[in-house]
Amino acid sequence: MLRSTQELKNYNLIADDGQIGRCKDFLFDDAHWTIRYMVADTGRWVPGRKVLVPPQALGKADWDSRLFKVKLTREQIKSGPGIDTDAPVSREREQELALHFGWEPYWIRTGLPGAAPFPAQLAGAGEEIASTATAVEKEHPSAGNLRSVEEVTGYHIEASDGEIGHVEEFIVDDETWALRYVVVDTRNVFPGKKVLIAPKWVSSINWPGQRMALDLTKDRIRNAPVYSPGAPVNRELETRLYDYYGRPAYWL
């Protein structure tokens, strides 16, 4: 199912043995446009602490109760490596997380855009995970960096013939955790109109300048199917969108 990342923020997070905090952000791989971690704020339980939870450790969301179940214990989370949300997440820190929780690092499966399988906790498997991850990293160095959904929200969007709006939010597939769409608010050019743009249609990104460029004209975007916040992004809307732009659909 496709969901708004903005909608998922502040969902309660429940571990196997109790509440651990709230969802505050997501980090995605800018090479594959796939969420690699949820940023959990442990709030009053462990004040001032932020931890990364991979999608593999998340159970199904309870949309009515606005909560995610996390397939970890409170002690596992409390004793795991913390992060500085104001600094980039290094590959070394990601390896620390993989070793602590006993999961397979996603970059071992670099060719796959989705999340790697989440194995059972592997007693004594730390050295094997580390050596495998290091070997694969040398052979296939990661081409992507981790980006914050919160940080990228607000980036300027430029059509091929001028600025068109800004990033309002993202639409994520809660099965694969792929970011399927960028929601573009065009209110400065076309008041009241929001549209969906697939990441593959982004021609370039200036990260320091906080700008995304599209190979689409303003007029093309002006007449695109409208996105209504709060309405479901279903296959009917997706089909109309891909038909309008004449692009091959990802689900085919």
Side-chain angles (χ1 to χ4, degrees), residues 29-45:
D29 177 343
D30 66 10
H32 297 296
W33 289 80
T34 298
I35 287 177
R36 301 304 185 184
Y37 302 102
M38 171 190 283
V39 179
D41 185 340
T42 57
R44 288 177 293 179
W45 173 46

Side-chain angles (χ1 to χ4, degrees), residues 26-30 33-35 145-147 149 152 179:
F26 295 94
L27 301 183
F28 69 95
D29 177 343
D30 66 10
W33 289 80
T34 298
I35 287 177
N145 295 298
L146 296 180
R147 308 285 179 179
V149 162
V152 176
L179 292 176

Side-chain angles (χ1 to χ4, degrees), residues 47-235:
R49 184 174 173 79
K50 304 288 193 303
V51 295
L52 298 182
V53 178
Q56 306 96 292
L58 294 175
K60 282 290 185 182
D62 184 327
W63 309 113
D64 293 329
S65 301
R66 296 180 58 82
L67 65 82
F68 271 110
K69 290 190 175 179
V70 179
K71 295 178 284 189
L72 298 168
T73 66
R74 284 161 62 94
E75 182 55 36
Q76 283 176 309
I77 293 167
K78 186 176 182 179
S79 62
I83 63 161
D84 179 357
T85 54
D86 294 326
V89 177
S90 67
R91 183 48 53 84
E92 289 74 20
R93 179 49 56 93
E94 289 191 272
Q95 285 209 27
E96 288 179 35
L97 286 161
L99 293 175
H100 176 77
F101 292 114
W103 62 58
E104 182 182 62
Y106 65 84
W107 62 90
I108 285 180
R109 298 166 182 263
T110 306
L112 299 180
F118 186 77
Q121 297 302 309
L122 304 174
E127 291 184 8
E128 181 181 350
I129 291 174
S131 62
T132 302
T134 301
V136 172
E137 180 71 4
K138 287 181 179 178
E139 186 176 352
H140 304 288
S142 174
N145 295 298
L146 296 180
R147 308 285 179 179
S148 158
V149 162
E150 177 127 343
E151 177 191 343
V152 176
T153 299
Y155 272 31
H156 296 282
I157 303 287
E158 294 180 341
S160 58
D161 53 352
E163 188 165 325
I164 193 69
H166 65 269
V167 176
E168 178 80 1
E169 57 181 329
F170 294 88
I171 303 298
V172 63
D173 183 332
D174 69 355
E175 293 289 338
T176 65
W177 291 96
L179 292 176
R180 294 298 183 196
Y181 301 104
V182 179
V183 179
V184 181
D185 187 335
T186 70
R187 64 172 174 247
N188 293 335
V189 182
F190 309 124
K193 186 178 180 72
K194 290 182 172 64
V195 297
L196 300 178
I197 297 294
K200 286 186 177 181
W201 307 342
V202 176
S203 55
S204 65
I205 302 177
N206 179 344
W207 298 108
Q210 301 186 348
R211 290 183 175 275
M212 290 186 186
L214 308 177
D215 60 352
L216 300 168
T217 65
K218 288 182 179 180
D219 278 344
R220 193 75 170 138
I221 295 169
R222 182 208 302 268
N223 298 311
V226 175
Y227 167 68
S228 300
V233 179
N234 53 29
R235 189 49 52 84

